[in-house]
Amino acid sequence: MPTSSKGITAGQLVTDIVLKDFRAAEVFRKYNIDFCCGGKMPLSMACELQGVNEDILMEELEHFAPVYESAKSWAVDFTIDYLINLHHTYFKNSLPVLLEYVDRFFKSHIKKFPESHELPGLVDELQTKLQKQLSYESDKLFPYMKRIHYAHSDNEVYGKLLMKTLQKVPVEDVQQHDAPLVELIFRIEELTNSFQPPSNACTTHKVMLQKLEEFTGYIRQHIFIERKILIPAAMQIERNLLEKLAETE
C-alpha cells in the first residue's frame, strides 16, 4: 500500500490522519469528507464514498497549507465541532496514557533524575485545569456561541430577543480560564528542557517526553484557534445582534 512522505496511507482512518496533524482537516473539509464522528473509516473508503480521486487527495495532504490561514474563514459552528470532536476527544483519550507514562517514569527513575520530582504534580495540576476548561467550553461557552451563531446566520427576529433573554457568557474572558494552562505548560517545558531527553534517558523516559510534547502541543493549538479565531468571530456576532436590538428599541 503506497505511503506518503508524511506517513499517510490509504488504509489509515480519516480521524487518525487529522489527529496526527490537525491541519489535514481543511483538506477533508474541501472534499466534504467527514473527519469527526463519521470519519472512522479508511481514507480509501472515504474517497470512494465521496467520489474523490484518492491520488489527488493524497497529493493535497502532502502539501496542505497551515490551518490558521484557512480556519479564519470557518463558520463558528464548524470551528466548535472541530474543537470538540478532535481536540476534546484527543484530550480524553490521551490523558490516561500520558498519566500512566509519567507515573511509570516517576516510580522507576526519580532517583536517577531527582530534578524531575515536580513533574507528576505539574501534570496532575494540568489534568485538573484542563478538565475544568473543557467542561466550561462544553457546558457554557460553546452552547452559547452556537445559539448566537444560528440566530445571526438565520437572520431571525428571535435573534434580537435572544440577546435580551439569554444569559450572556463573557466569551472575551476565556483567557482567564486558559491562562493557568499556558503557565503550567511553560513550567513543564522549563523542567523538561523543552522535552529534550538527557543523554542517559531510557526508552520510558523518552516516550514520556514525546507524549508530553504532543499533549501540550495540542493544548497550544486548541488555545490558539479559540483565542485568535473562534472568540473574535463570536464577539463580532454579539456586536451585530446587539446593534440590531438597538435599532428596534
Side-chain angles (χ1 to χ4, degrees):
M1 183 176 293
T3 303
S4 73
S5 62
K6 291 182 179 178
I8 299 172
T9 68
Q12 278 185 284
L13 299 183
V14 172
T15 49
D16 290 344
I17 294 172
V18 177
L19 285 175
K20 184 177 180 181
D21 193 322
F22 70 106
R23 296 174 298 173
E26 182 60 17
V27 177
F28 292 124
R29 179 172 177 256
K30 173 182 176 181
Y31 290 102
N32 199 31
I33 292 177
D34 190 352
F35 57 82
C36 294
C37 299
K40 297 184 182 299
M41 66 174 66
L43 176 60
S44 57
M45 184 182 297
C47 288
E48 183 178 351
L49 289 174
Q50 292 297 330
V52 176
N53 185 295
E54 184 180 310
D55 293 333
I56 292 177
L57 184 62
M58 290 279 282
E59 179 68 18
E60 291 198 29
L61 287 171
E62 285 287 290
H63 303 98
F64 48 65
V67 71
Y68 306 139
E69 294 179 7
S70 56
K72 292 180 181 178
S73 64
W74 291 357
V76 165
D77 58 340
F78 177 86
T79 306
I80 289 172
D81 288 342
Y82 176 94
L83 293 177
I84 289 178
N85 286 290
L86 291 175
H87 287 192
H88 282 212
T89 299
Y90 168 82
F91 294 137
K92 179 181 178 180
N93 294 338
S94 299
L95 190 54
V97 179
L98 174 62
L99 292 173
E100 179 185 345
Y101 271 101
V102 172
D103 183 63
R104 186 185 304 176
F105 165 76
F106 184 75
K107 287 180 178 178
S108 306
H109 303 83
I110 193 59
K111 291 183 179 179
K112 187 177 179 181
F113 302 101
E115 68 277 6
S116 300
H117 73 278
E118 294 180 54
L119 189 58
L122 290 173
V123 174
D124 283 342
E125 189 176 357
L126 184 69
Q127 173 190 20
T128 300
K129 294 188 183 302
L130 178 61
Q131 290 176 335
K132 182 179 179 181
Q133 168 72 358
L134 299 183
S135 294
Y136 166 71
E137 291 175 356
S138 298
D139 299 339
K140 294 183 179 180
L141 183 65
F142 290 167
Y144 171 78
M145 287 181 171
K146 278 198 170 185
R147 289 188 70 181
I148 63 173
H149 164 72
Y150 292 136
H152 182 261
S153 61
D154 293 342
N155 198 28
E156 296 286 350
V157 175
Y158 81 86
K160 292 178 285 187
L161 298 175
L162 184 66
M163 297 307 293
K164 272 188 173 182
T165 60
L166 185 64
Q167 183 178 1
K168 187 176 183 296
V169 176
V171 296
E172 66 272 18
D173 293 339
V174 71
Q175 285 184 259
Q176 296 180 9
H177 293 266
D178 60 41
L181 289 173
V182 176
E183 293 176 6
L184 277 170
I185 290 173
F186 281 142
R187 179 62 187 130
I188 291 172
E189 287 179 342
E190 181 182 27
L191 190 66
T192 61
N193 189 29
S194 297
F195 310 108
Q196 296 302 310
S199 57
N200 58 340
C202 67
T203 301
T204 297
H205 195 169
K206 292 177 180 178
V207 172
M208 179 200 68
L209 291 175
Q210 289 173 353
K211 294 291 184 183
L212 265 176
E213 184 175 18
E214 177 187 85
F215 194 84
T216 55
Y218 264 92
I219 295 177
R220 287 183 180 278
Q221 293 167 11
H222 187 84
I223 291 174
F224 184 95
I225 293 175
E226 196 168 66
R227 283 188 184 183
K228 301 298 183 180
I229 298 170
L230 182 60
I231 299 300
M235 290 177 67
Q236 184 59 53
I237 288 174
E238 281 185 340
R239 287 192 290 268
N240 292 344
L241 288 174
L242 288 171
E243 286 173 3
K244 288 183 179 180
L245 177 62
E247 291 172 359
T248 61
E249 293 181 343

